[in-house]
Every structure is written in structure tokens, then in C-alpha cells.
Amino acid sequence: MDYDIAIIGAGVAGSYLGSLLRNVLEDKKIVIFEQLEKPIIKDSGIVSMNIEKFIEKRTLRKLIRKKIKRMQLFSPNGKRIVLSTKKPFAYGLKRKDFIKTLRSPIKDMIKYEHVLSVKLRSDCALVTTENDKYFIRFLVGCDGANSLTRKAMVERGETKQPTLLYGAFVQQKPTKYVKVYLNKFYSPDFFAWNFFGEYGLATSYRPRAHLDYFLKKQDVKPKRIFASPIPIGLIKSFTDRCILVGDAASQVKPLTGGGIIYSLKAATYACDVIKKAFSLSRFDSYVLRSYEKKWKEDFGNEIKRGIEVRKIYRKMTNKQINEAFDLFKNDVEEAFARQAVKQYDYLSSITSSIPKKKITKFMLKNLSLLR
Ligand SMILES: Cc1cc2nc3c(=O)[nH]c(=O)nc-3n(C[C@H](O)[C@H](O)[C@H](O)COP(=O)(O)OP(=O)(O)OC[C@H]3O[C@@H](n4cnc5c(N)ncnc54)[C@H](O)[C@@H]3O)c2cc1C
């Protein structure tokens, strides 16, 4: 074998997992394949306070761009829901510095090679890069939303493809506020945003046309557009000799598109199972399934509920969104103020705080949403 462990991708999931594995499996030969030497900015870097569990305090302080205590949701007819808390419920990170920080302890483990294909065999995983072929005892796919590792699992009937939304944004002069627009003309199946002067949206349908329209309405002239896919779905994340972590495993919140904290959490669960697999010298699905059990116990239900809420939201018209704003505004504002500091990674708990009576009333009036 060329390596005991290969991780594909030195993004959030791969970099963090690499540093955890280095500490617990010192004697193993570990490599991380990464295609880009200079990390790109691909997201807004908004994370819950749970980031404090993963990054040491002093380092984190230098990575915080903004502390977020207030966010405004706008309906198509301009009504507002103001989500605010006394203490910050989220941080806006300096995204480039964040990934540099994660990569710094694993610099020497990274091979900057583009992986062209992955084959999962019973005796090893075969990874072919632009430079060479490598025989790997254990493979971890941290290769993002368009994961090649996941593709190899899909081809063997081991998992399925998640839905891909396309997120795109442009950076303008910083503003002081976070605004989120729920408007079908901007994004038919997600939302558009202005996060402190970063204007963007995600949708699975004609992303560029919607972005152009949104930017025109916001009076923003686009310069450079950053665009990346966002996976949505609850999928299987393990097979013999291989697991998926982060966007590759679709570990993303369906209500916000946020995946940084879930990727970090999943990396810790992945580290535990890989350590166990090497101690038993067993790399079969039977041993690896405890990885999936752990992450699904933590945030699998949240993903499931988020998908259900999204299903309804996708069918809603702008008129129905306006109605929902009028009906649920107070409940959502109160529940958010109470829960968001602790529960920002589990936002569906806020929808479950809305009185059932009100939801039933809304659904009965809009029966088409249940079909
Ligand atoms: C527009 C947008 C806004 C977002 N905003 C937020 C936000 O505010 N907060 C939040 O929590 N999340 C946000 N996300 C989601 C977040 O970016 C991801 O969930 C997170 O980056 C997942 O990390 P990852 O390591 O799994 O994947 P990635 O960060 O995508 O890392 C994958 C790595 O694998 C490498 N790679 C891929 N294929 C290969 C290959 N074949 N060979 C070698 N290397 C390869 C890539 O170069 C990359 O470095 C946003 C996403 C988008 C698109």
C-alpha cells in the first residue's frame, strides 16, 4: 500500500480531520490530496457559537469578522421579521484566514494533486491523480459537493446523489446588516441575502438569471461572482474502506445551506471510527457504520426536518409567503430570541415552537402545500 489513509480535499472537513488523525494515529502514513494550493472563497463564513468548540479561543478571536446579533427576514411585499438575540448567535468568519488556519497544522500532509478518479476495490481504494496512481488502505472523501468519492459509491449502488443548489454571491462595500429575502422572484427554492455587503442567493433553477435580477433590484453592479454548489439531502456516508465527510456526505443544513459546523462535528465522529477501524484492522461497513449512527444522532433529524420544511417552502407562492409572515412573525421572533444562541445549528426547533393550531390554520387554508 502507498498510504494507510488518504483524505481527498483539504477544505473544512478534510483539513480538520487531517489534524485530528495526525494526533491519534501517529504511526500511520496519511496523505491529503488537494487540487487548489490557494483556497478560494466559496461561502459567507457564518457559523454558530459552536465554532468555539473547534478552534482555540485566541486563534478564533483573530478569525472573527463580525459578531451577529440581528438578522432581518424580508417577505416579497417588504414586511420584516427581525431575528435578534441579546448575545451573538453567530459569527461571520474571515473565510480565507479560517481555511488557512485549518490547513496550517497539516501543511506537510498535503499533496497538491488533482484526483481524477476513485475506484473502491475489496482489497484497497485506488486513487488516480494527474501525476500517479495510489493504493490506499482507507479512503475519506472530503471532496465537497461534487465529490468524486461519492460518485464512486453511487456507481456501486452504495449511496445516492443529493440535490445540488447553486450558491452565488458578489462582494460590495461592507454594510452593517444581515438581510435575508424570501422571494420567489429572487430564488424559487431558497433565499437571497445581503450579509454585511455580500449579496447572493442559492437556487437549483437558473441561478445566474435569478442572481442578475436580484442584483438589479438591489442596485448592485456585479464584478466578480463567486459560485459553488450546495448539497441538500440525507444520504448514506460509508461503505467498505471508505467514508464521506462534509459536503461530500451532504452534511448541510437544508434551511440555511450552512455546512461548516456540521463538517467539523462529522470530522470528529470520523476520527473516532477510523481510529477504531485501525485498532481492529477491520475496514468493513460493519465497523464503519457507527460513524453514520453518530452524526445522524447528532444532526440527522435536523436535516430531515429541514428537508420537510423546504418541501413546503418550495411550493409556496409569494402571496403565501406574505401571509405566513403576517401569521407567524411574533412566534418566530420570540422563539428565535429565546433559542438561537444555543440552537442556531438546530433551527427547526424554532418552527416546532410555533403553536400547532396556527400551523394547522395556515395549512388548511393552503391545502395545495400538502400535496
Ligand atoms: C454560496 C455559499 C455560501 C455558504 N455560506 C455558508 C455559511 O455562511 N456558513 C456555513 O456554515 N456554510 C456555508 N456554506 C457551506 C460551506 O461552504 C460548506 O458546507 C463547507 O465548506 C463544507 O466543507 P467541505 O470541506 O466539506 O467542502 P469544501 O470546503 O468544498 O472542500 C472540498 C475540498 O476538496 C477539494 N477537492 C474537490 N475535488 C477534488 C479533487 N478531485 N481532487 C483534489 N481535491 C479536490 C476542493 O478543492 C476543496 O478544497 C456556503 C456554501 C455556498 C456555496
Side-chain angles (χ1 to χ4, degrees), residues 258-270:
I260 294 173
I261 296 291
Y262 285 1
S263 297
L264 296 169
K265 279 171 171 259
T268 59
Y269 301 135

Side-chain angles (χ1 to χ4, degrees), residues 35 78 114 128 134 157 178 181 185 194 198 219 279 331 335-336 349:
Q35 62 191 357
H114 181 198
T128 307
Y134 300 92
V178 177
Y181 302 90
F185 291 134
N194 170 2
E198 175 204 293
D219 204 15
S279 76
D331 302 298
F336 193 90
S349 62

Side-chain angles (χ1 to χ4, degrees), residues 185 190 211 228 295:
F185 291 134
F190 212 56
L211 183 70
S228 285
W295 74 257

Side-chain angles (χ1 to χ4, degrees), residues 19-46:
S19 61
L20 294 176
L21 288 175
R22 139 163 287 166
N23 291 337
V24 296
L25 291 172
E26 288 160 6
D27 56 328
K28 302 293 174 225
K29 258 182 103 181
I30 309 175
V31 66
I32 305 177
F33 295 111
E34 171 54 53
Q35 62 191 357
L36 301 172
E37 209 155 341
K38 278 197 185 151
I40 50 159
I41 300 183
K42 57 160 283 202
D43 61 48
S44 320
I46 295 187

